[in-house]
Amino acid sequence: VPKVSQDHLDARRQQILAGAQRCFAQHGYTGATVARLEQEIGLSRGAIFNYFPSKQELFLALAIEVNRRYGRLLLEGGVEAAIRAMAAEDPEWLGVVFEVHGKLRHDPDFVRRLDEASDAARPTLQDWFEAKQANGTFRDDVSGRDLGRFVTMVLNGLALRVVGEEETDVDATLKLLHDAVAPRQ
Amino acid sequence: VPKVSQDHLDARRQQILAGAQRCFAQHGYTGATVARLEQEIGLSRGAIFNYFPSKQELFLALAIEVNRRYGRLLLEGGVEAAIRAMAAEDPEWLGVVFEVHGKLRHDPDFVRRLDEASDAARPTLQDWFEAKQANGTFRDDVSGRDLGRFVTMVLNGLALRVVGEEETDVDATLKLLHDAVAPRQ
Amino acid sequence: VPKVSQDHLDARRQQILAGAQRCFAQHGYTGATVARLEQEIGLSRGAIFNYFPSKQELFLALAIEVNRRYGRLLLEGGVEAAIRAMAAEDPEWLGVVFEVHGKLRHDPDFVRRLDEASDAARPTLQDWFEAKQANGTFRDDVSGRDLGRFVTMVLNGLALRVVGEEETDVDATLKLLHDAVAPRQ
Amino acid sequence: VPKVSQDHLDARRQQILAGAQRCFAQHGYTGATVARLEQEIGLSRGAIFNYFPSKQELFLALAIEVNRRYGRLLLEGGVEAAIRAMAAEDPEWLGVVFEVHGKLRHDPDFVRRLDEASDAARPTLQDWFEAKQANGTFRDDVSGRDLGRFVTMVLNGLALRVVGEEETDVDATLKLLHDAVAPRQ
DNA sequence: ACTGGCGGGACGTCCCGTTGAT
DNA sequence: ATCAACGGGACGTCCCGCCAGT
């Protein structure tokens, strides 16, 4: 029989993830020492280590959440919603995204673990764009693949702006992006 | 009087920067331990620290070079040249760019040092775009500021693709970008 | 009044000692972490530490049992019985003996505690051998003290073999030992 | 070109081994924390780690030396010399031997590494005893294998006494051992 | 100019024992 | 009586930079 309720455990887990997110966002993966994580989370090593076997695993949990979040963003709401959501995103949270990106390039093991966790249910972006082309939503003189890539580039470029806390006029961005991908009259 | 020629000193400095670039690109800032830097550069601690007072300072020198390089890219060659240059960029080298980005967000001191070094001679992007609008090169129903930001977003998004070694059709990208920023007929 | 029977308490205590013995034998004192002890014993920290105030104290209880067991071995059954018993000993159990030995040399406090517990009823080996000499069982041109020491050496040497799971011909060993200690014709 | 002479390096290496030996002997493997090793050796972590990649490797170096030393003892000097040497052995040094023994039982990787290092040139004890039997030095109504094992047991038993700093009459021991293994008249 | 031995500090891991809940 | 969450400390590893030596 567990000593504390499942609710308590879930709450603790969320507390750890939330604090870790802030800590990683502020200091980066390396800069987020266990001591700082303890402080930001408000729990001791013993507690944190009880929920996640290592700092890397804790970070991985955040990375998976990140991946899921942004994978669904465009597919569920469409281009405009994705852009607006991204522009309104919390810079601290987005910071973690790029921190993930950093590890992605240098830590092959991390890449593998992340892929394993996020492979499930990943409908391709390309399919989505091709459907919208057939729809008449997007121009079709450019392949759906390239349309998808272009929109992704703008989204990522926007993300970088948000992370850097640089101001961006979302409506202007949308207007330009629309003229790039909408059917030529 | 120095014992060796200035040329020798410069060559050594370049050797160190080149090796460090490869090392930072491959392992990231933290992963690039001094031992690994020694190996990649082919010189010992003493030699490296003779030219750069610390690992951070060595990285800063690279960061300044990076900043200069990409600052000039667009202004000198225009949008198409910038996109093509970025697409052809060495992923390893671009890796360092985002590594710089990583430190930029977490190390205020680093930001200050980098700004000091790169502030000189930075004509604003905005001016450049406004000139091109007056030119008739770009549409003028969107502010030059927003045009510049949009192009930058695409460039950065493209850079992320290159770093991730993801394939990109440059011509399609250029076509879409052109339709976004060119004057409407 | 206790909630559970004394039998239950004793059984639990024995369960803990038995599991701990296996765990110490397999992993050594340091290697036997509390987590491993929990697993091997089948009870949780709370239960274990309810019966023994610390890991050290649990080990001490085993050490006392070990000491008693081997102290009586020779005195009760004679040399041959002792040798045969030692050769048939469980290597895991003997492993704990030498683990005890290890701590004996490094932990003065442990030595004191162990001595306190085992001082009671320890008739000297020397007396036993001298009685057997008077008996005519052992040669008397060597002091009983030295006879006792020699037999102990062989016993300990044999124990080391058993622990190392090295094969030993008990009969040959007994023959050689007999010729060493028996009266010269 | 090395910065310091080879002599210096060798001296340092010996300094580290000697200090480590004392430290392992006094505190045991686990008790010999790196801090204590630093203190006993008189050098810093950095220095020690420069000569041995890890604490385990440092210990292994000592273990190999131990193995070589005792392997040759009997084969080179005969039984009496071996017994006398063992009796005169430094208890601290012998302590390390049993520490090695401790790790031997629990650390399979350590066993492998040690075997690799000491496999070279290990003439079997058995051969040596059989030669001495043919010689007439030892009785031949017991196999050379068992003779060897018996002598080893006594040697190991003696070693345990030395480690425990228990007094031993070497001459008596030799007399008894002689009567065990010498040819019956 | 260049080497590398070395100091010393900080990190993530892991572990023991306490505590409060069941 | 038994549990598992949790605190907090100590360990081995590893790393950066200094400087003595060539």
Side-chain angles (χ1 to χ4, degrees), chain B residues 33-34 45 49 55:
Chain B
T33 66
V34 177
R45 276 169 155 64
F49 284 121
K55 177 179 156 181

Side-chain angles (χ1 to χ4, degrees), chain A residues 66-185:
Chain A
V66 161
N67 255 27
R68 270 208 264 267
R69 184 162 175 171
Y70 291 98
R72 282 193 302 235
L73 203 60
L74 202 144
L75 270 56
E76 289 181 354
V79 170
E80 179 170 350
I83 292 281
R84 291 200 184 278
M86 184 65 82
E89 193 61 82
D90 176 11
E92 287 203 348
W93 175 244
L94 265 183
V96 178
V97 179
F98 286 97
E99 205 62 46
V100 170
H101 213 88
K103 279 193 85 64
L104 280 179
R105 273 182 301 112
H106 305 308
D107 189 335
D109 191 54
F110 182 79
V111 176
R112 191 178 46 73
R113 297 287 313 274
L114 186 57
D115 279 348
E116 276 175 20
S118 49
D119 260 351
R122 177 162 27 177
T124 67
L125 218 54
Q126 189 173 338
D127 293 341
W128 185 85
F129 273 94
E130 283 169 358
K132 293 289 182 181
Q133 282 181 307
N135 227 2
T137 310
F138 295 138
R139 65 198 290 181
D140 57 5
D141 59 334
V142 169
S143 77
R145 193 197 60 185
D146 290 329
L147 274 181
R149 287 175 177 172
F150 188 78
V151 173
T152 305
M153 281 188 238
V154 175
L155 264 174
N156 285 337
L158 174 58
L160 273 169
R161 290 194 68 82
V162 174
V163 166
E165 312 212 37
E166 298 166 291
E167 208 188 350
T168 309
D169 181 324
V170 184
D171 291 318
T173 304
L174 280 170
K175 187 180 191 181
L176 291 163
L177 182 53
H178 172 268
D179 290 343
V181 298
R184 316 298 290 169
Q185 81 277 39

Side-chain angles (χ1 to χ4, degrees), chain C residues 33-34 45 49 54-55:
Chain C
T33 66
V34 177
R45 276 168 155 68
F49 284 120
S54 74
K55 177 180 156 181

Side-chain angles (χ1 to χ4, degrees), chain D residues 3 12 44-47 50-51:
Chain D
K3 177 182 125 180
R12 274 278 190 261
S44 73
R45 287 161 143 71
N50 198 44
Y51 288 87

Side-chain angles (χ1 to χ4, degrees), chain D residues 28-176:
Chain D
Y29 183 80
T30 308
T33 67
V34 177
R36 285 208 252 248
L37 283 167
E38 281 180 307
Q39 182 129 29
E40 189 67 47
I41 291 171
L43 291 173
S44 73
R45 287 161 143 71
I48 297 169
F49 188 74
N50 198 44
Y51 288 87
F52 299 91
S54 71
K55 177 179 158 182
Q56 165 124 213
E57 214 69 16
L58 171 53
F59 185 71
L60 183 66
L62 283 171
I64 290 170
E65 207 178 326
V66 162
N67 255 27
R68 271 209 263 269
R69 183 162 176 172
Y70 292 97
R72 281 194 302 237
L73 204 61
L74 203 144
L75 271 57
E76 289 182 354
V79 171
E80 179 169 350
I83 292 280
R84 291 199 184 279
M86 185 65 84
E89 195 60 83
D90 176 12
E92 288 202 347
W93 175 242
L94 265 182
V96 177
V97 179
F98 286 96
E99 205 62 46
V100 170
H101 214 86
K103 278 193 85 64
L104 281 179
R105 272 181 302 112
H106 306 308
D107 190 335
D109 190 54
F110 183 78
V111 176
R112 193 178 46 74
R113 297 286 314 273
L114 186 57
D115 279 347
E116 277 175 18
S118 49
D119 260 351
R122 176 160 29 176
T124 69
L125 219 54
Q126 189 173 336
D127 293 341
W128 186 84
F129 272 95
E130 283 169 359
K132 293 289 182 182
Q133 282 180 307
N135 225 1
T137 310
F138 295 138
R139 64 198 290 181
D140 58 6
D141 59 335
V142 168
S143 77
R145 194 196 59 185
D146 291 330
L147 274 180
R149 287 174 176 174
F150 188 78
V151 173
T152 304
M153 281 187 236
V154 175
L155 264 173
N156 284 337
L158 174 57
L160 274 170
R161 289 194 69 81
V162 174
V163 167
E165 312 212 37
E166 299 166 291
E167 208 186 349
T168 309
D169 182 325
V170 184
D171 290 319
T173 304
L174 280 170
K175 188 179 190 181
L176 290 162

